[in-house]
Amino acid sequence: MLYHFSFPHYSLPPRLYHTVRRSFGNSASMALKSFIDVGPDSHFPIQNLPFGVFRPDSGSPARPGVAIGDHVLDLSAVASAGLFGGPILAGSDCFHQPNLNKFLALGRPAWREARTTLQKMLSSTEPVLRDNAELKKKSLFPMDKVEMVLPIAIGDYTDFFSSMHHAKNCGTMFRGPQDPIPQNWFHLPIAYHGRASSIVISGTNIIRPRGQGYPSGNSPPYFGPSLKLDFELEMAAVVGPGNELGKPIDVNNAADHIFGLVLMNDWSARDIQAWEYVPLGPFLGKSFGTTVSPWIVTLEALEAFACKAPEQEPKPLPYLAEKVSKNYDISLEVQIKPAGQKDSCIVTKSNFKNLYWTVTQQLAHHTINGCNLRPGDLLGTGTISGPEPESRGCLLELTWNGQNSLSLKGTSRKFLEDGDEVTITGLCKGDGYTVGFGACSGKVVPAPQ
Amino acid sequence: MLYHFSFPHYSLPPRLYHTVRRSFGNSASMALKSFIDVGPDSHFPIQNLPFGVFRPDSGSPARPGVAIGDHVLDLSAVASAGLFGGPILAGSDCFHQPNLNKFLALGRPAWREARTTLQKMLSSTEPVLRDNAELKKKSLFPMDKVEMVLPIAIGDYTDFFSSMHHAKNCGTMFRGPQDPIPQNWFHLPIAYHGRASSIVISGTNIIRPRGQGYPSGNSPPYFGPSLKLDFELEMAAVVGPGNELGKPIDVNNAADHIFGLVLMNDWSARDIQAWEYVPLGPFLGKSFGTTVSPWIVTLEALEAFACKAPEQEPKPLPYLAEKVSKNYDISLEVQIKPAGQKDSCIVTKSNFKNLYWTVTQQLAHHTINGCNLRPGDLLGTGTISGPEPESRGCLLELTWNGQNSLSLKGTSRKFLEDGDEVTITGLCKGDGYTVGFGACSGKVVPAPQ
C-alpha cells in the first residue's frame, strides 16, 4: 500500500498525502524495516529515529541528524539534496543550524512531516536514498566515528520532583517518617529553576565540585571537595514552540509543546545541598554539571509505549486535570563502573511510568502563572524512583544517606568516588524491536586542587 | 594636557596612550564636560556613559548605545565611522550586534578602551564628533524617541539573598523572632536559580500571575489571580567574560567579570511562593516577570562611589575573603503610582551599600563548585532592605505580610493592585554631577480570565 508512491509523496493530492501519513503513524511498528542494517537489540530502528546534533569530525560544523542502527543520517545533507519536500520543511533552513531550536519552534506539524519523510526515505522499499551511493556517502556516518554535541541551545532548565517514591524517601530521611511528603506535593508538581550553562552532553567528565558542608559543633563549615557526590536518574522533556509571556498553555494542548525526551543525570553534591538549601532551594549542590543523552526520542516514537498515568488523589485542580493522562513505559537502568574495573554493575532499575505528575501536567503548571517557555527549554522529571528498594534513583536513597553500603562486585559505595563512570540507559521493548535512548554517561574526575 | 592630542589617540606611542588613559581614569569626574548639553540632575553625564541597546525606531535593528544627557549615542554608527581606534575594538564587530554579549565577552581591557574612547569623543574640547554635523545626525538620537530593549541575551539568571535586614525580616515573619536568620546565611551568599525567559525591559507591563495559594482548613488550595503581588527592590550585576566549567573564579579577580549594574524589580507573588516553596525554593511565585532597567552602569563609572562593605562576622572562609571588600553608595528609591492618580508616592528608600555579601563574593561563591558563568548572565542581589522600617525593600516587609497598610496619598496598599505602576530609581551623587541608573518600572495589569 505504502511504498509504491514515488518520492516525494508530498506531491500527492492532500487526501492521499494524509492517507500516507496516517498509515506510517499507525502501522509503522512491526512491518517497517530500513535498508540500513539494524540489529535486533539496537536502540535505533526505523521505528525510533531520534534527533540529535553531531559533527562528522571535530573540525566540521555541527548539524542535525537522526540515528538509524549504527549510523547517523545527516539532515543538512538530506535537506540540501531537496528530500524534505513537505509543505513546511521544503523552504526551511532548520536543518542547516548548529542546534535543533529552529526545528523545535516549528511545532508538531513540522515534526510529523520530518518523521514521515525520514521513515519513508529510510525504509527498505524506498530507492531514493538506498540506491543513491553518492548521497549515502555524503549523508550516512558510522555512529562511532561522529562527535555528538548538545542538540539544543537551552534557554532555561527546570527540574521537577515528580516521583512520589523519591519524595517520600527524601522526606523520611530528612523530616522523619511522619508525613514525609509535604502537603503541597499532592496538589502541584513541585519544581525549581536549574542551571542551564552547566548542562553537558553524555561522555563529558564531571569534575567533583568543591563547596561548603555542614559545620560540626562550633567549628566553621566544612570546605573542600564534596564528600557526598551522587547521581540522579532522571529524564527530561525538550520543549517545542512554547508560549508568550502571560499566556498559559492548556494542559490538554501541552503535548504539542513537547518534542521528545532525553535521559538525564542530575549530578548532586548532597553535603553542599544539605547546607545551602534552606530557604531558597538547591543551588551549588546541583549546578556543577547535568548530563543529557545525545538523542531526543520523539513523543511520536514513544506513542506505542504510552500507558496510563497513576490515579491522582486528591483530584488535581481543573488547570491540571487532563482528558487523557499518559505516561510511557520506559525501562531505566543505572550502572556504575569504578575506575580500573572491567565491568559495570547495575545499581538500580526503574521506569518512567513511576512518575506521579505527567510531563504534560508539569508543562501546564510551569506556564499557569504566565511564565514563557521557549524552544529548547528542558523540563527534568526529578529523580525517578520506583516503589521497591532496588528501584531507587540515586545513592542518597539506595544507601539511605550513606548509612548503608552498596555492593559493586568486589567493592562498595556510599557515594561516588573519583573515577566512577555512571551510565543511565533507557528503552522501550516493542514487538520485535526496541525504541531506546542510547546512553547518558559521565565519569567523575577529581576536584581542582 | 589631555585634549590637544589629535584623535584617535591610539596612534600615539604606547607610553603616551597609557598616559592618556590614566588621566581620563583618574581626573575624569569633576573637570570633564561634554559638548552635549547635560542638565545638573541628569543621570547620564559624561562621567557615567552607561551601555544599553536600542532601536532608533520600531522598524530598525537593535544596536548598542551609550546614554549621554537626553541622548543616546549609537555605537554601531561610531564603529562604522572608524572611531573605535584602540587595539582591541578597532577590528571588532561587537557594536554591530543586537545585544552587548560579544562586547561583554571581551573583558575589562575592552570595556576600559571603549569608555576612554567615548569619554574623549564626547568631551567639550574634542572636535571629532562635535564638529561633524553629519555624523552627529547619524549617531545621536533623542532618548525619548528611541525604543530601549533588553541589553543582553541572558543565559542564566541567579538571585541572591544578600541583605541581612531582608533576611532577618523574612525570617522573623515566617520562622519567628528566635534565630530568624538561618545559620548558613552568615557563611555563604545564599542564592537560587531564577527564570531567564521572563526577564523584561523597564516599561513592560506585568501581567498578574494566577496560581495556587495555601488551602484554608480542609478545602482545596486557593486557585486564581495572586492576592499578594509584590515588588522587590534589587540590583543585578551583569557578568563579563565568565569561566569554563570546573574553573572557579578567585574572589580577588571577580570584579573583572562584572561589567556593571542595573536596577531590578523581582516581582513576587507571595501567596504562590508561600505554598510552593518547600522544599525546593521559589518557582512560579517569581517566574512570571522580572524587570530590569535599560542602562548598565559600569563598575568604572561607579568606582568614584565605592565604599567599604560591612564587617563580616564570622570571618568568611578563605575562598570568600577579599583583599578589598567593596560596596557602592547608590541611593535607591521605590515609588508606586496607583491607576488614575497623577502623582506617585515614595514607598521606600534604601541603598546598595546595605548589602552584607558583596557582588564579588556572590560571583566567587557561584563558581566555587565549578559552575560556569557566561557573558550576559545576571546576578541579582536579592531585596535590598536597610535597617530602618522605611528602608524595607518590598511590601511583604513594609506591610509585615499584609498586617499593616501602607498609606499612598489618599489610598493605601497591603499588596499591589491592578493598575499600580512601580518605579525603582537609583543614583550616586557626585560633586556637581550625578551618576544614575535611570528608571526601572512596570505596571501591573489584570490576570487573564
Side-chain angles (χ1 to χ4, degrees):
Chain A
M1 270 300 286
L2 206 51
Y3 303 119
H4 69 269
F5 297 124
S6 67
F7 194 87
H9 59 245
Y10 299 100
S11 53
L12 294 171
R15 197 180 48 82
L16 278 182
Y17 165 62
H18 288 294
T19 310
V20 173
R21 236 181 41 164
R22 274 202 303 277
S23 306
F24 267 100
N26 297 339
S27 67
S29 312
M30 274 289 301
L32 213 51
K33 281 223 174 301
S34 175
F35 64 85
I36 293 169
D37 222 28
V38 176
D41 295 328
S42 171
H43 281 202
F44 308 123
I46 193 167
Q47 291 82 357
N48 191 352
L49 301 185
F51 287 72
V53 171
F54 74 105
R55 300 178 199 276
D57 48 70
S58 59
S60 311
R63 78 277 314 261
V66 296
I68 175 78
D70 295 333
H71 283 78
V72 179
L73 178 67
D74 181 340
L75 299 186
S76 73
V78 171
S80 294
L83 299 188
F84 285 108
I88 306 170
L89 296 172
S92 170
D93 64 351
C94 67
F95 295 131
H96 298 291
Q97 305 290 331
N99 56 51
L100 289 167
N101 292 48
K102 200 161 181 180
F103 177 55
L104 296 178
L106 294 175
R108 186 154 312 281
W111 308 340
R112 282 213 184 104
E113 189 178 301
R115 180 173 170 82
T116 311
T117 304
L118 291 166
Q119 223 167 33
K120 183 166 189 342
M121 190 188 307
L122 289 166
S123 75
S124 55
T125 52
E126 172 59 43
V128 68
L129 179 59
R130 185 193 66 196
D131 299 348
N132 185 335
E134 198 189 340
L135 183 57
K136 278 203 288 193
K137 199 175 156 198
K138 260 200 251 177
S139 65
L140 281 164
F141 297 90
M143 198 178 279
D144 59 0
K145 295 279 188 283
V146 307
E147 180 197 346
M148 299 303 299
V149 299
L150 268 189
I152 41 177
I154 300 165
D156 279 288
Y157 152 48
T158 304
D159 203 18
F160 284 83
F161 186 52
S162 290
S163 148
M164 186 168 65
H165 310 292
H166 176 61
K168 189 175 171 189
N169 289 333
C170 295
T172 305
M173 259 179 272
F174 297 114
R175 286 179 296 275
Q178 305 285 344
D179 295 324
I181 304 182
Q183 187 194 1
N184 58 3
W185 194 92
F186 290 98
H187 294 281
L188 52 84
I190 299 271
Y192 70 100
H193 308 291
R195 178 82 192 172
S197 71
S198 53
I199 297 176
V200 297
I201 193 76
S202 177
T204 308
N205 285 344
I206 294 297
I207 302 167
R208 182 181 295 272
R210 292 183 302 167
Q212 298 190 25
Y214 251 99
S216 47
N218 285 328
S219 36
Y222 167 81
F223 177 77
S226 168
L227 303 174
K228 290 189 171 183
L229 186 58
D230 201 355
F231 66 83
E232 283 193 339
L233 165 58
E234 300 201 18
M235 296 192 73
V238 176
V239 172
N243 59 311
E244 276 174 57
L245 203 52
K247 300 199 171 161
I249 294 172
D250 187 285
V251 71
N252 291 305
N253 300 331
D256 280 347
H257 294 271
I258 298 174
F259 176 62
L261 302 180
V262 292
L263 303 170
M264 187 165 95
N265 184 344
D266 188 30
W267 305 87
S268 300
R270 301 303 184 186
D271 42 357
I272 298 174
Q273 187 183 349
W275 171 234
E276 74 177 356
Y277 92 109
V278 172
L280 298 183
F283 180 50
L284 301 189
K286 300 277 191 174
S287 63
F288 57 91
T290 305
T291 307
V292 292
S293 57
W295 295 109
I296 308 171
V297 178
T298 63
L299 290 200
E300 269 82 13
L302 293 171
E303 187 54 35
F305 308 95
C307 59
K308 217 169 160 310
E311 210 54 49
Q312 295 178 329
E313 187 51 49
K315 290 285 163 241
L317 285 167
Y319 82 91
L320 290 172
E322 302 186 275
K323 285 182 194 146
V324 180
S325 198
K326 225 189 246 181
N327 262 349
Y328 300 96
D329 183 1
I330 306 170
S331 302
L332 299 167
E333 194 175 280
V334 181
Q335 304 196 13
I336 297 180
K337 185 169 167 295
Q341 288 206 11
K342 222 185 89 204
D343 299 320
S344 14
C345 281
I346 297 172
V347 295
T348 190
K349 287 183 180 219
S350 185
N351 195 301
F352 185 82
K353 69 185 176 190
N354 283 322
L355 292 176
Y356 181 88
W357 294 103
T358 65
V359 288
T360 38
Q361 287 178 317
Q362 290 169 12
L363 188 138
H365 179 65
H366 204 317
T367 66
I368 188 63
N369 70 340
C371 180
N372 54 331
L373 301 179
R374 296 177 294 188
D377 284 350
L378 208 59
L379 310 185
T381 56
T383 304
I384 306 175
S385 295
E388 306 85 13
E390 57 277 13
S391 63
R392 292 172 181 164
C394 57
L395 289 173
L396 178 76
E397 292 171 77
L398 287 163
T399 70
W400 214 250
N401 196 16
Q403 285 182 43
N404 313 314
S405 282
L406 191 72
S407 163
L408 291 185
K409 292 183 192 156
T411 182
S412 68
R413 288 289 178 272
K414 291 184 169 179
F415 289 98
L416 294 171
E417 298 193 2
D418 291 345
D420 285 352
E421 186 172 1
V422 180
T423 300
I424 302 177
T425 50
L427 55 82
C428 309
K429 268 285 170 207
D431 191 0
Y433 69 100
T434 299
V435 164
F437 287 78
C440 172
S441 52
K443 189 160 86 176
V444 178
V445 299
Q449 290 309 305
Chain B
M1 271 300 286
L2 205 54
Y3 302 120
H4 69 266
F5 296 126
S6 68
F7 193 89
H9 58 245
Y10 299 101
S11 52
L12 296 170
R15 194 181 49 81
L16 279 183
Y17 165 65
H18 288 294
T19 311
V20 173
R21 236 181 41 164
R22 272 204 302 278
S23 307
F24 266 100
N26 297 339
S27 68
S29 312
M30 274 287 301
L32 212 53
K33 280 224 175 302
S34 176
F35 64 85
I36 293 170
D37 221 28
V38 176
D41 296 329
S42 171
H43 281 202
F44 308 123
I46 193 167
Q47 290 82 359
N48 191 350
L49 301 184
F51 287 72
V53 172
F54 74 106
R55 299 178 200 276
D57 48 67
S58 60
S60 311
R63 79 279 310 263
V66 296
I68 175 75
D70 295 333
H71 283 78
V72 179
L73 177 68
D74 181 339
L75 299 186
S76 73
V78 172
S80 294
L83 299 188
F84 285 109
I88 306 170
L89 295 172
S92 170
D93 64 351
C94 67
F95 295 131
H96 298 291
Q97 305 290 331
N99 56 52
L100 289 167
N101 292 47
K102 200 160 180 182
F103 177 56
L104 297 178
L106 294 176
R108 187 157 308 283
W111 311 338
R112 282 212 183 104
E113 188 178 302
R115 180 173 170 81
T116 311
T117 305
L118 291 166
Q119 225 168 30
K120 184 167 191 337
M121 190 187 309
L122 288 165
S123 75
S124 54
T125 51
E126 172 60 43
V128 68
L129 179 59
R130 185 193 66 196
D131 300 347
N132 185 336
E134 198 189 340
L135 183 56
K136 279 204 287 192
K137 202 176 153 196
K138 260 199 249 175
S139 66
L140 281 164
F141 297 90
M143 200 179 277
D144 59 0
K145 295 280 188 283
V146 307
E147 181 195 345
M148 299 305 298
V149 301
L150 269 189
I152 41 177
I154 301 164
D156 278 288
Y157 152 49
T158 303
D159 203 18
F160 284 83
F161 186 53
S162 290
S163 148
M164 188 170 61
H165 311 292
H166 176 62
K168 188 176 172 188
N169 289 333
C170 295
T172 306
M173 261 181 272
F174 296 116
R175 287 179 295 276
Q178 306 284 344
D179 295 324
I181 304 182
Q183 186 194 2
N184 58 4
W185 194 92
F186 290 97
H187 293 281
L188 52 85
I190 299 271
Y192 69 99
H193 308 292
R195 179 82 191 172
S197 70
S198 53
I199 298 177
V200 297
I201 192 77
S202 177
T204 308
N205 285 343
I206 294 297
I207 302 167
R208 180 181 295 273
R210 292 183 302 168
Q212 298 191 25
Y214 251 99
S216 45
N218 285 327
S219 35
Y222 167 79
F223 178 77
S226 167
L227 304 173
K228 290 189 170 183
L229 186 58
D230 202 354
F231 66 83
E232 283 193 339
L233 166 56
E234 300 201 18
M235 296 193 73
V238 175
V239 173
N243 59 312
E244 275 175 59
L245 203 52
K247 300 199 171 160
I249 294 172
D250 186 286
V251 71
N252 292 305
N253 300 331
D256 280 347
H257 294 271
I258 298 175
F259 176 63
L261 302 179
V262 292
L263 303 171
M264 188 165 93
N265 184 343
D266 188 30
W267 306 87
S268 299
R270 301 302 184 186
D271 43 355
I272 298 174
Q273 188 183 347
W275 172 234
E276 75 178 355
Y277 92 108
V278 172
L280 298 183
F283 180 50
L284 301 189
K286 301 277 192 175
S287 63
F288 57 92
T290 305
T291 307
V292 293
S293 57
W295 295 109
I296 308 171
V297 177
T298 63
L299 289 200
E300 270 83 13
L302 293 171
E303 187 55 35
F305 309 95
C307 58
K308 215 169 163 308
E311 212 53 50
Q312 295 178 331
E313 188 51 49
K315 291 284 162 244
L317 285 167
Y319 81 93
L320 291 172
E322 302 186 272
K323 285 182 194 145
V324 180
S325 198
K326 223 188 251 181
N327 261 349
Y328 300 97
D329 183 1
I330 307 170
S331 302
L332 299 167
E333 193 176 282
V334 181
Q335 305 196 12
I336 297 180
K337 186 168 165 295
Q341 288 205 11
K342 224 184 88 203
D343 298 322
S344 21
C345 282
I346 297 171
V347 296
T348 191
K349 286 183 181 221
S350 185
N351 194 301
F352 185 82
K353 69 183 176 192
N354 284 320
L355 291 176
Y356 181 89
W357 294 104
T358 65
V359 289
T360 37
Q361 287 178 317
Q362 291 168 12
L363 188 138
H365 179 65
H366 203 317
T367 66
I368 188 62
N369 69 340
C371 179
N372 55 331
L373 302 179
R374 296 177 294 187
D377 284 351
L378 207 59
L379 309 185
T381 56
T383 304
I384 306 175
S385 295
E388 307 84 13
E390 56 277 13
S391 64
R392 292 172 180 164
C394 57
L395 289 173
L396 178 75
E397 290 171 79
L398 287 163
T399 71
W400 214 252
N401 197 15
Q403 284 181 44
N404 313 314
S405 282
L406 190 73
S407 165
L408 293 185
K409 291 184 191 155
T411 181
S412 68
R413 288 288 178 273
K414 292 184 168 178
F415 289 97
L416 294 171
E417 297 192 2
D418 291 345
D420 285 352
E421 187 172 358
V422 180
T423 300
I424 302 178
T425 51
L427 54 84
C428 309
K429 267 287 171 206
D431 191 0
Y433 69 100
T434 300
V435 164
F437 288 78
C440 172
S441 51
K443 190 160 86 176
V444 178
V445 299
Q449 292 306 307

